[in-house]
Amino acid sequence: MKNTAVFEDRLTPFRDQLLHHPLYEKLHTPKAIQTFMSYHVFAVWDFMSLVKALQLKLTSTTLPWIPVGSPSTRRLINEIVWGEESDVDQLNNPASHFEMYLKAMEEVGADTAPIYQLVTNIKSGIPWEKAVEHTSIPNEIKSFLQFSLATATQAPVHVIASVFTYGREDLIPDLFIAIIKEMAQQQGDDYKTLVYYFERHIEVDSGEHGPMAQQMMQELCGDNTSLWDEANEAAQQALQKRIALWDFIEKSI
């Protein structure tokens, strides 16, 4: 990839804001964790739409099957989908990361009603735009979802890949994991799934999916400067949306 350093340098100020956000200093009580999870779950959920959008665009999902695109890119996205949609929990039971997160929310007593309301409405056939608008969630959460889902459903594949790769992966600092583990020591089994979720998510993202996603970006953008510029702009927008989400959650705690 050309100009890798320049591409990532443009994202550094936004990533630094997230990794050192004051939100983390407020997550030291069960009530704060519950509030955080009740809003963060929407980012866990809509992340899967970015993943599946990439699978739809980079692999064959119609019949009869025909090979689509680069074999290496197909392998990359299928491995990412497998890991995100069909991982295993701490008891070795198959589960998506979203389903693990819901279980963790129930264990710690976080409010799951709004996310279930949204998912139920979409299952019933309501278009996602209306489902988001009619779900009982703050406007800040709606704005976050509208950006992600519009990207997943309308953007070109290199833009989706950039939001997935640079805007959503590997953005949880060690400080947060330490806070969660400390809370688990105080609260016991109520936090076991939550600790596992974040440890597993970071392990998979940094050790496997992060490098895979960067390779996918190289496959998609190649030496095309315009594609890289569009991808960078989209990644910056995604990071700004995440910062706004973190700002809102911090104010809500």
Side-chain angles (χ1 to χ4, degrees):
M1 166 185 167
K2 291 185 177 180
N3 300 321
T4 304
V6 173
F7 185 97
E8 296 187 353
D9 282 349
R10 292 175 182 170
L11 303 181
T12 297
F14 306 106
R15 293 178 62 87
D16 285 348
Q17 276 188 261
L18 284 167
L19 292 171
H20 301 94
H21 198 284
L23 166 65
Y24 299 114
E25 298 293 343
K26 293 190 174 182
L27 299 176
H28 288 286
T29 67
K31 179 62 176 177
I33 295 295
Q34 290 168 355
T35 301
F36 172 81
M37 295 183 73
S38 69
Y39 295 128
H40 177 242
V41 66
F42 291 94
V44 177
W45 172 74
D46 79 340
F47 175 76
M48 281 304 304
S49 290
L50 295 170
V51 175
K52 297 299 286 187
L54 289 171
Q55 187 181 40
L56 288 171
K57 290 179 177 291
L58 297 174
T59 72
S60 178
T61 57
T62 58
L63 297 176
W65 179 89
I66 55 172
V68 172
S70 158
S72 60
T73 302
R74 291 198 303 266
R75 181 179 178 85
L76 287 170
I77 191 57
N78 281 331
E79 287 193 16
I80 290 171
V81 169
W82 179 83
E84 296 287 344
E85 191 175 31
S86 308
D87 204 355
V88 292
D89 64 17
Q90 68 269 38
L91 300 177
N92 211 38
N93 296 315
S96 68
H97 287 186
F98 173 65
E99 289 162 320
M100 287 186 212
Y101 200 84
L102 288 176
K103 181 180 178 182
M105 290 180 70
E106 291 166 358
E107 289 177 352
V108 306
D111 184 10
T112 59
I115 185 63
Y116 276 121
Q117 179 190 7
L118 176 59
V119 172
T120 298
N121 285 341
I122 291 175
K123 281 184 178 180
S124 71
I126 297 174
W128 71 260
E129 296 92 341
K130 290 184 177 180
V132 168
E133 188 58 36
H134 294 158
T135 298
S136 301
I137 51 177
N139 288 333
E140 291 85 351
I141 306 300
K142 292 179 181 179
S143 177
F144 182 86
L145 291 174
Q146 287 160 352
F147 171 79
S148 297
L149 296 177
T151 298
T153 57
Q154 301 169 22
V157 66
H158 65 286
V159 167
I160 301 172
S162 183
V163 170
F164 167 82
T165 302
Y166 298 102
R168 305 297 291 273
E169 296 284 303
D170 194 26
L171 291 173
I172 301 293
D174 292 340
L175 169 64
F176 181 68
I177 303 304
I179 291 170
I180 295 297
K181 288 183 175 180
E182 180 181 350
M183 193 72 66
Q185 290 179 348
Q186 298 171 4
Q187 303 295 323
D189 287 348
D190 288 350
Y191 281 72
K192 62 183 180 181
T193 301
L194 182 59
V195 170
Y196 177 84
Y197 168 85
F198 278 110
E199 287 185 332
R200 179 62 177 158
H201 196 65
I202 289 173
E203 174 189 0
V204 171
D205 287 351
S206 61
E208 300 172 24
H209 293 177
M212 286 182 182
Q214 290 177 357
Q215 183 179 339
M216 177 173 59
M217 286 296 300
Q218 294 183 40
E219 294 257 359
L220 292 173
C221 293
D223 294 328
N224 190 316
T225 302
S226 295
L227 294 184
W228 281 113
D229 287 343
E230 292 172 3
N232 193 269
E233 181 178 352
Q236 289 187 43
Q237 290 176 337
L239 289 167
Q240 290 170 334
K241 288 292 184 181
R242 178 62 73 98
I243 291 167
L245 176 64
W246 261 211
D247 290 343
F248 169 74
I249 296 176
E250 182 199 4
K251 292 176 183 177
S252 300
I253 291 176

